[in-house]
Amino acid sequence: IIVVNQNVKADVFLTSENLNSALKQMQRSQLQIQKNEEHEFALYTLGKTADDLAKLLSDEVEAHANENEKLIELALDRTKGIQINIFWEGQKSRFFYDGNALNAYLEQYPDGDHRMDTLYREITRDFFLSVPNGEKELLATIDTINSFIHLYPNFEKLSEIELYLAINYRDLFRLHQNNEDVDLTSQIAMSTRRQLQRIVDEYKEKDEGEIARRLLERFIVEAGLKESP
């Protein structure tokens, strides 16, 4: 299991105050959307606030287990009441927002001012929740992540995105591991290795760098590669 640190402040947890603030913000955004007032910003803010609340609920559970269970249940009940779908994914032990407003933002504002952050949130959610159905979907995911890296090379959380890319390359290698096309399998193995090594070299001081180092060690053994390139 790979746990990616999403850089949420460890001292910020769920309270009645920040829950009410998030709920009020989402309701304001929904009203703006209905009235078509600052529609683009309202749609983005609705999705961002819901996504941030899901992460806040996850951090609360991780830090305090069920100590704040009543407030968490209240949060889920209140969000459901305003048609915001935040749900618990047991296999990932996290809450997730279904991304409805974020999806709508990308569809309606493909060149919008908040496209970068919205895409990041979409890529992150899909990484944790989606299981690509075969090579075609996996290649599409890799293309999406590569496009993001190309478009936003200075994105502050690029280390996370690059790690997602490396793991998808590794999964692509596993699809081809028993393939008769030895050259293609070898190319994918080297792409995986290069991407993991890049993260190790570029992000030594970040959690992603350490995760990539451990993944690289295991991948070298799994793929039967030599220790040095």
Side-chain angles (χ1 to χ4, degrees), residues 58-70:
S58 296
D59 294 336
E60 176 62 38
V61 171
E62 184 178 354
H64 302 132
N66 294 325
E67 289 181 20
N68 223 350
E69 184 176 2
K70 289 185 178 180

Side-chain angles (χ1 to χ4, degrees), residues 75-139:
L76 296 175
D77 184 60
R78 292 286 302 278
T79 51
K80 182 179 179 181
I82 57 173
Q83 288 77 53
I84 297 295
N85 182 21
I86 294 175
F87 59 93
W88 175 258
E89 173 52 58
Q91 289 186 334
K92 307 297 181 180
S93 298
R94 291 190 66 85
F95 285 98
F96 290 93
Y97 166 53
D98 71 359
N100 185 53
L102 298 174
N103 294 336
Y105 181 88
L106 291 174
E107 290 176 3
Q108 296 177 38
Y109 301 99
D111 299 313
D113 293 338
H114 306 285
R115 178 175 174 79
M116 180 177 70
D117 184 62
T118 306
L119 272 174
Y120 160 72
R121 293 170 185 273
E122 289 263 286
I123 289 170
T124 299
R125 188 183 71 249
D126 288 348
F127 174 78
F128 284 104
L129 288 179
S130 298
V131 179
N133 184 19
E135 181 179 9
K136 186 176 180 179
E137 288 189 11
L138 191 51
L139 287 172

Side-chain angles (χ1 to χ4, degrees), residues 5-18:
N5 180 2
Q6 293 184 281
N7 300 316
V8 179
K9 291 183 179 179
D11 57 344
V12 179
F13 299 114
L14 185 66
T15 66
S16 297
E17 289 75 15
N18 58 27

Side-chain angles (χ1 to χ4, degrees), residues 206-222:
K206 292 193 172 187
D207 289 343
E208 290 80 13
E210 176 59 22
I211 292 171
R213 185 190 64 77
R214 298 198 304 267
L215 283 173
L216 181 58
E217 289 179 353
R218 294 202 292 268
F219 183 73
I220 286 172
V221 174
E222 177 181 349

Side-chain angles (χ1 to χ4, degrees), residues 8 30 55 73 75-76 96 98 100 125 142 144 151 174 192 194 202 222 228:
V8 179
Q30 288 175 325
K55 292 176 183 175
E73 289 177 353
L76 296 175
F96 290 93
D98 71 359
N100 185 53
R125 188 183 71 249
I142 288 171
T144 297
L151 286 171
R174 288 174 175 174
T192 306
R194 281 195 299 269
E202 291 289 325
E222 177 181 349
S228 56

Side-chain angles (χ1 to χ4, degrees), residues 17-80:
E17 289 75 15
N18 58 27
L19 172 58
N20 285 331
S21 177
L23 291 167
K24 288 178 181 178
Q25 178 60 69
M26 288 187 288
Q27 289 174 307
R28 281 196 299 270
S29 296
Q30 288 175 325
L31 185 60
Q32 284 180 291
I33 291 167
Q34 291 171 7
K35 293 182 176 181
N36 203 29
E37 297 176 353
E38 299 183 349
H39 187 274
E40 178 184 346
F41 182 70
L43 188 57
Y44 164 72
T45 302
L46 177 61
K48 176 183 181 299
T49 306
D51 195 47
D52 286 344
L53 179 57
K55 292 176 183 175
L56 185 63
L57 293 172
S58 296
D59 294 336
E60 176 62 38
V61 171
E62 184 178 354
H64 302 132
N66 294 325
E67 289 181 20
N68 223 350
E69 184 176 2
K70 289 185 178 180
L71 191 56
I72 291 172
E73 289 177 353
L74 176 63
L76 296 175
D77 184 60
R78 292 286 302 278
T79 51
K80 182 179 179 181

